[in-house]
């Protein structure tokens, strides 16, 4: 019994060892963020650290010996930091990552008309800039050296005609952004009337028509509210019922000068219409276009020969709207140095050559123009169809492209004649908008959305998807102007999001559109988003008034993104094309 009692007392006197240290970082993820030149204090919690030695290690070098560490770096990047705690009872170690980012001063973007900003006297004009990195920022608007506002937007209104300069200064903790806006206060807006060129980069604006055919002319207007039209042929006034669209059938081959005088008839006082501009008053503006009438339609037809290819042979123009794959060097395949129209065309040609690699047309209005080494006849040799356009559409992923065709009427082997839209299932529907125009504005800094305004004064943007892309700009690098306008037919979008899954369904249209999973596609569900042809009939070509064009053949094809829509995290709807083929030559 005595021996047993002694044994129990020995157990009670045993010393329990101190536990090893335990480190808890003050970042749940173990990742810290700091900007260049700024200090970051990392202050972890350590348990059981009596008599501890602390070590902070970066790239194998001891940089600190305190319980907390103040980090700073003059260069961007990711830095891995090791924190080690040692006591006589053991050691603990944690690795963390510090992401060093650039300073983010404000970047100011403001949509400005290509011809400069003009505002009527005694009229409100709201300047509402898009400012990147605006969190916690202060604003200062200065007009002629006087501070006039400290709000994020400013209402400009001046009674005196003349030139005014407004400066905007936005300051946040990282720095300052500045923007200067020049405004001309006028008593009448600069009304403008002009005939559109067939393509954005066209050299001239002569129009061509075959003998016995009708050409349809309609000018584009700026600033008019209630225009009235008077048309002339070689200076002789003709009765067109005051309509904007003029159908002209020349009597014989030759050159004709078609003129139009547009008069503003609104005189009921100021009214607000497109682009935040308020217009009033009256004006008459004239414009002319030369129409050249050539011989018969058959005289320009280029027949199929033994050397002819069923596939397209040349890209003539590539003018996309801004979009997530424009300038993108990975999935989009750009080199990143395309700064001329010729380089952009070369990019598109190289992408299309294999026939299974897509070219993106960006948002609404973006287009591509291709040609063939022969004329494609209107004979429906492939189950009633004449040619095909390959896209990457599949069920739930249709991004419809409007298809246009052209004949080489003037015989110069260039697409500078008349475009004819191919009728589709949506052509005659009320929600389909003909002659729809969108102007895109260059963003002020990298990673910013591209803002746009349309012909009706509606505004929007092509959003920058930082999660998926890293190119600085969605705005095409080779467009020199700070804004450009694309015009075409706009369909009502059919994109819906599932409220439960969050997935987007870009629903298809019945028929008549490229990159569309409609009734006129090749067989197959194409679940892998591979190349899939859609078939087209030249007989569906229509004039600008909707009447049949009755073309015997075509020489050029244009595809143009036909919706102005975006699908959340998927980004903007943008037509993709992979190839073009004369199906009359197919076996």
């Amino acid at each position: 019994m005595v021996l047993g009692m002694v044994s129990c007392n020995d157990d009670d006197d045993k010393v329990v060892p101190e536990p090893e240290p335990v480190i808890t970082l003050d970042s749940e993820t173990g990742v810290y963020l700091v900007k260049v030149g700024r200090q970051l204090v990392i202050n972890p919690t350590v348990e059981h650290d009596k008599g501890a030695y602390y070590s902070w290690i970066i790239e194998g070098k001891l940089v600190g010996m305190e319980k907390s560490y103040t980090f700073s770096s003059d260069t961007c990047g990711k830095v891995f930091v090791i924190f080690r705690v040692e006591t006589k009872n053991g050691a603990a170690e944690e690795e963390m990552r510090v992401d060093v980012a650039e300073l983010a001063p404000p970047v100011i973007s403001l949509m400005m008309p290509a011809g400069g900003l003009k505002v009527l006297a005694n009229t409100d004009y709201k300047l509402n800039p898009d400012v990147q990195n605006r969190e916690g920022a202060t604003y200062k608007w200065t007009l002629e050296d006087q501070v006039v506002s400290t709000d994020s937007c400013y209402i400009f209104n001046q009674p005196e005609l003349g030139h005014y300069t407004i400066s905007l200064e936005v300051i946040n903790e990282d720095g300052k952004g500045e923007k200067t806006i020049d405004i001309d206060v006028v008593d009448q807006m600069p009304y403008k009337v002009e005939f559109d060129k067939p393509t954005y980069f066209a050299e001239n604006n002569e129009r061509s028509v075959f003998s016995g055919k009708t050409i349809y002319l309609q000018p584009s207007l700026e600033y008019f509210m209630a225009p009235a039209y008077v048309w002339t042929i070689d200076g002789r006034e003709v009765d067109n019922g005051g309509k904007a669209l003029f159908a002209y059938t020349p009597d014989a081959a030759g050159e004709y000068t078609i003129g139009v005088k547009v008069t503003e008839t609104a005189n009921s006082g100021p009214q607000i219409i497109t682009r935040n501009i308020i217009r009033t008053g009256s004006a008459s503006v004239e414009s002319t276009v030369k129409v050249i009438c050539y011989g018969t339609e058959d005289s320009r037809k280029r027949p199929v020969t033994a050397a002819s290819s069923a596939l397209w042979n040349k890209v003539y123009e590539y003018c996309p709207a801004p979009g997530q794959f424009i300038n993108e060097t990975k999935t989009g395949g750009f080199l990143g140095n395309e700064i001329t129209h010729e380089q952009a065309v070369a990019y598109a040609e190289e992408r299309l050559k294999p026939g299974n690699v897509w070219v993106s047309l960006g948002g609404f209005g973006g287009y591509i123009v291709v040609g063939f080494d022969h004329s494609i006849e209107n004979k429906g040799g492939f189950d009633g169809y004449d040619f095909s356009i390959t896209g990457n559409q599949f069920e739930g992923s249709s991004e419809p492209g409007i298809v246009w065709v052209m004949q080489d009427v003037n015989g110069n082997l260039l697409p500078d004649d008349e475009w004819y839209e191919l009728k589709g299932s949506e052509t005659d529907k009320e929600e389909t908008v003909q002659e729809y125009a969108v102007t895109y504005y260059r963003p002020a800094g990298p990673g910013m959305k591209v803002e746009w305004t349309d012909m009706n004064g509606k505004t929007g943007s092509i959003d920058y998807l930082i999660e998926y892309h890293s190119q600085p700009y969605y705005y095409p690098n080779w467009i020199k102007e700070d804004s450009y306008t694309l015009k075409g037919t706009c369909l009502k979008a059919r994109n819906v999001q599932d409220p439960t899954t969050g997935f987007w369904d870009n629903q298809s249209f019945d028929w008549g559109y490229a990159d569309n999973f409609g009734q006129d596609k090749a067989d197959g569900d194409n679940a892998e988003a591979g190349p899939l042809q859609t078939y087209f009939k030249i007989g569906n070509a229509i004039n600008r008034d909707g009447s049949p064009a009755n073309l015997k053949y075509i020489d050029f094809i244009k595809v143009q993104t036909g919706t102005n829509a975006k699908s959340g995290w998927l980004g903007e709807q943008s037509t993709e094309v992979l190839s073009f083929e004369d199906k009359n030559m197919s076996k």
Side-chain angles (χ1 to χ4, degrees):
M1 289 177 63
V2 172
L3 291 174
M5 291 175 64
V6 172
S7 176
C8 288
N9 290 336
D10 287 344
D11 289 340
D12 291 341
D13 292 340
K14 284 184 178 180
V15 177
V16 178
E18 288 285 335
E20 295 181 351
V22 176
I23 301 172
T24 303
L25 296 178
D26 52 342
S27 167
E28 293 183 1
T29 62
V31 178
Y32 296 82
L33 177 64
V34 68
K35 293 178 181 177
V36 169
R38 299 288 173 78
Q39 290 187 340
L40 168 70
V41 178
I42 305 175
N43 192 22
T45 300
V46 183
E47 299 178 66
H48 316 301
D49 60 340
K50 182 178 180 181
Y53 293 94
Y54 307 104
S55 303
W56 294 87
I57 302 168
I58 298 177
E59 295 183 350
K61 297 180 180 179
L62 181 67
V63 295
M65 298 180 64
E66 302 295 331
K67 190 173 182 178
S68 64
Y69 176 61
T70 301
F71 175 92
S72 179
S73 176
D74 294 328
T75 58
C76 295
K78 301 181 187 300
V79 180
F80 292 91
V81 181
I82 296 174
F83 176 49
R84 182 174 176 82
V85 180
E86 298 177 77
T87 69
K88 64 180 180 180
N89 298 307
E93 185 176 288
E94 289 287 344
E95 184 179 57
M96 64 212 74
R97 190 183 85 207
V98 181
D99 292 343
V100 185
E102 290 277 9
L103 293 177
V107 180
I108 305 169
S109 180
L110 187 65
M111 294 184 290
M112 300 292 289
L117 182 55
K118 295 174 174 55
V119 178
L120 291 175
N122 296 303
T123 300
D124 285 350
Y125 188 95
K126 185 177 183 180
L127 295 167
N128 188 17
D130 175 35
V131 180
Q132 190 180 39
N133 309 320
R134 62 182 178 272
E135 294 79 9
T138 60
Y139 294 76
K140 183 172 73 173
W141 296 85
T142 304
L143 173 60
E144 306 298 338
D145 298 325
Q146 296 292 322
V147 176
V148 292
S149 176
T150 56
D151 294 331
S152 61
C153 59
Y154 172 59
I155 305 297
F156 175 86
N157 187 317
Q158 290 294 319
E160 300 294 330
L161 304 184
H163 183 82
Y164 295 82
T165 299
I166 298 177
S167 298
L168 170 61
E169 181 182 87
V170 184
I171 300 176
N172 68 8
E173 63 178 3
D174 288 348
K176 178 172 63 175
E178 295 178 299
K179 182 78 172 179
T180 299
I181 305 107
D182 291 317
I183 302 179
D184 289 321
V185 175
V186 298
D187 57 356
Q188 179 174 285
M189 301 307 295
Y191 295 95
K192 187 176 181 180
V193 177
E194 65 180 8
F195 291 92
D196 294 333
K197 295 179 180 180
T199 56
Y200 183 77
F201 294 97
E203 294 294 332
N204 60 63
N205 197 25
E206 293 179 351
R207 313 302 278 271
S208 305
V209 63
F210 284 124
S211 179
K213 291 283 190 176
T214 300
I215 188 170
Y216 292 79
L217 303 171
Q218 182 172 344
S220 293
L221 311 181
E222 287 190 19
Y223 301 112
F224 285 87
M225 290 176 10
Y229 300 83
V230 175
W231 291 87
T232 60
I233 301 174
D234 292 333
R236 175 177 53 87
E237 187 174 320
V238 294
D239 183 13
N240 192 45
K243 293 183 291 186
L245 183 64
F246 181 54
Y248 176 53
T249 307
D251 296 330
E255 295 185 5
Y256 303 85
T257 300
I258 308 300
V260 63
K261 182 170 74 172
V262 185
T263 301
E264 176 61 86
T265 62
N267 55 12
S268 58
Q271 298 183 44
I272 298 178
I273 57 173
T274 63
R275 301 181 190 172
N276 285 336
I277 298 172
I278 301 179
R279 300 131 207 222
T280 187
S282 62
S284 290
V285 182
E286 298 183 37
S287 183
T288 61
V289 63
K290 181 187 292 185
V291 174
I292 304 176
C293 180
Y294 292 90
T296 63
E297 189 175 2
D298 292 330
S299 66
R300 296 294 194 201
K301 179 182 173 184
R302 296 175 297 143
V304 173
T305 68
S308 297
S309 170
L311 297 177
W312 66 277
N313 77 329
K314 184 177 177 61
V315 174
Y316 287 88
E317 189 161 3
Y318 175 52
C319 185
Q324 61 182 299
F325 295 110
I326 307 305
N327 308 326
E328 206 258 356
T329 58
K330 296 178 181 178
T331 310
F334 280 88
L335 296 176
N337 60 357
E338 291 86 359
I339 58 173
T340 68
H341 173 236
E342 291 75 18
Q343 290 170 332
V345 166
Y347 155 83
E349 284 192 337
E350 287 301 312
R351 291 278 289 186
L352 291 180
K353 278 180 181 178
N356 60 358
V357 182
W358 49 261
V359 170
S360 175
L361 305 184
F364 171 79
Y367 66 86
I368 190 169
V369 177
V370 303
F372 291 74
D373 62 11
H374 63 280
S375 300
I376 303 177
E377 294 186 70
N378 178 8
K379 64 180 184 180
F382 186 81
D383 197 23
Y385 296 97
D386 299 300
F387 66 90
S388 67
I389 301 173
T390 303
N392 59 358
Q393 67 273 22
F394 57 90
E395 184 66 48
S397 181
S398 289
E399 298 177 288
I402 308 297
V403 180
W404 306 77
V405 295
M406 178 187 287
Q407 294 179 315
D408 186 16
V409 180
N410 60 22
N412 65 356
L413 301 181
L414 295 174
D416 55 2
D417 296 286
E418 295 303 302
W419 286 113
Y420 298 90
E421 182 180 349
L422 290 194
K423 186 176 182 178
S425 59
E426 312 305 297
T427 298
D428 297 322
K429 294 185 177 179
E430 184 177 352
E431 60 264 28
T432 299
V433 182
Q434 307 288 336
E435 303 290 332
Y436 181 70
V438 171
T439 299
Y440 297 97
Y441 299 87
R442 186 190 306 278
M448 295 185 71
K449 62 187 178 182
V450 178
E451 296 185 280
W452 56 260
T453 57
D454 71 6
M455 57 187 288
N456 301 314
K458 183 180 177 181
T459 62
S461 64
I462 304 290
D463 295 334
Y464 190 92
L465 305 179
I466 193 172
E467 301 88 351
Y468 306 112
H469 303 289
S470 59
Q471 75 269 39
Y473 299 96
Y474 287 1
Y475 195 94
N477 286 336
W478 59 95
I479 300 291
K480 304 304 181 185
E481 299 85 356
D482 287 334
S483 65
Y484 68 113
T485 301
L486 297 175
K487 181 185 293 185
T489 297
C490 187
L491 311 180
K492 182 179 180 181
R494 292 184 179 177
N495 55 330
V496 295
Q497 185 179 29
D498 188 308
T500 302
T501 65
F503 288 111
W504 284 87
D505 182 6
N506 292 333
Q507 298 174 356
S508 62
F509 296 80
D510 292 343
W511 60 274
Y513 306 102
D515 199 18
N516 174 59
F517 201 72
Q519 302 165 4
D520 46 8
K521 67 183 186 311
D523 292 334
D525 58 16
N526 202 31
E528 300 300 320
L532 187 68
Q533 292 183 345
T534 302
Y535 306 117
F536 298 90
K537 301 177 182 180
I538 296 174
N540 284 330
I542 56 176
N543 294 309
R544 295 181 72 164
D545 66 348
S547 62
N550 298 319
L551 306 178
K552 291 184 178 181
Y553 61 87
I554 63 168
D555 297 286
F556 307 102
I557 299 172
K558 176 171 72 171
V559 179
Q560 188 171 35
T561 299
T563 55
N564 187 11
K566 52 190 178 185
S567 298
W569 52 270
L570 280 179
E572 77 287 343
Q573 287 196 344
S574 56
T575 301
E576 275 81 50
V577 295
L578 291 83
S579 189
F580 302 78
E581 183 177 357
D582 179 354
K583 300 307 292 187
N584 289 320
M585 294 181 63
S586 299
K587 303 298 182 182

